[in-house]
Amino acid sequence: MPLDSLQRLILDLVPESFFARLSARQPVLYEEAKAMAVSAPWGDPEAETVFPINRRALMENEVRASARENRLSCADSRHLGDNCGYVLVQAGKLRITAHHVDKPTRFVPPCRSRQQNAAVNAWLDTPYFEELLQELPPKLGDADSAHLYLLHGLVIENRAGKSYSSLFMRVAFPDSELARYVCNYDGLDLLQLYGADGESLAGTPNGGGGSLPDNARPVINIKPDREAVMGEDMKRGG
């Protein structure tokens, strides 16, 4: 199966080792986040509140470190409400930000800064064909830039009285209206594509060669879970 245009854009501009480091470090960082939360002098309710905040903070720092390791431009930016900072990575025409969410399909809460960042994705709007239940992948054309979300989080499921946790990392393109994800790729599947066809251009110490199959599973036209989003003040960040 040939790569779609957005997969090609990622593989050509972002080094494999950028994503590989984040994927490898995520379990360790989440354990550190938990240890930090439970070791503080407070009770379980406070620890449960701080745990996801720690996950977000540690991953933001790791995104910055991975960008610098791979010689990608990165900047520490502030939301317009000046209530929260975030790391903005530039890889060619791709602008990347990281977001901690509670499930793989959760849409990141909108705010004015994110609206401005995602405005460059207007070229991603493509016709949706109801009869085919799909839309055509967007054509890159002469677009100057595109905004990409690195989504990460922890899902906890309760089955038969026991809790089971699993980590996820996704790479998603929001539409310019912050209403849906145009594409939402599994991070591990995306990593398998590097070097699969020998055409990726992004430099990486871990890349090159190989004959891995195209196993990426893009989730097209996701209708995101928005119950935790609709009440958000548009001035807020995070």
Side-chain angles (χ1 to χ4, degrees), residues 33-100:
K34 182 177 181 180
M36 292 167 59
V38 301
S39 64
W42 50 39
D44 289 343
E46 291 76 23
E48 292 174 1
T49 299
V50 172
F51 184 22
I53 297 174
N54 290 349
R55 295 198 298 262
R56 176 195 180 276
L58 289 174
M59 282 297 291
E60 285 282 309
N61 181 67
E62 195 66 25
V63 167
R64 183 188 300 108
S66 188
R68 290 173 176 170
E69 179 181 80
N70 287 279
R71 300 181 180 179
L72 299 176
S73 174
C74 67
D76 295 325
S77 302
R78 302 288 298 179
H79 286 288
L80 293 182
D82 200 28
N83 63 337
C84 187
Y86 64 97
V87 177
L88 179 64
V89 177
Q90 188 83 34
K93 64 170 61 178
L94 271 181
R95 301 172 55 161
I96 306 170
T97 51
H99 305 272
H100 179 268

Side-chain angles (χ1 to χ4, degrees), residues 14-24 66-67 69-72 191 194 202-207:
V14 186
E16 175 189 4
S17 50
F18 174 77
F19 291 123
R21 170 173 173 156
L22 295 175
S23 179
S66 188
E69 179 181 80
N70 287 279
R71 300 181 180 179
L72 299 176
L191 274 171
Y194 278 92
T204 166
N206 300 321

Side-chain angles (χ1 to χ4, degrees), residues 1 3 24 36 60 78 95 117 122 126 144 152 173 226:
M1 179 184 296
L3 301 177
M36 292 167 59
E60 285 282 309
R78 302 288 298 179
R95 301 172 55 161
N117 287 336
T126 54
D144 292 329
H152 65 95
F173 286 90
R226 302 186 64 87

Side-chain angles (χ1 to χ4, degrees), residues 195-208:
D197 58 359
E199 295 180 2
S200 296
L201 303 179
T204 166
N206 300 321

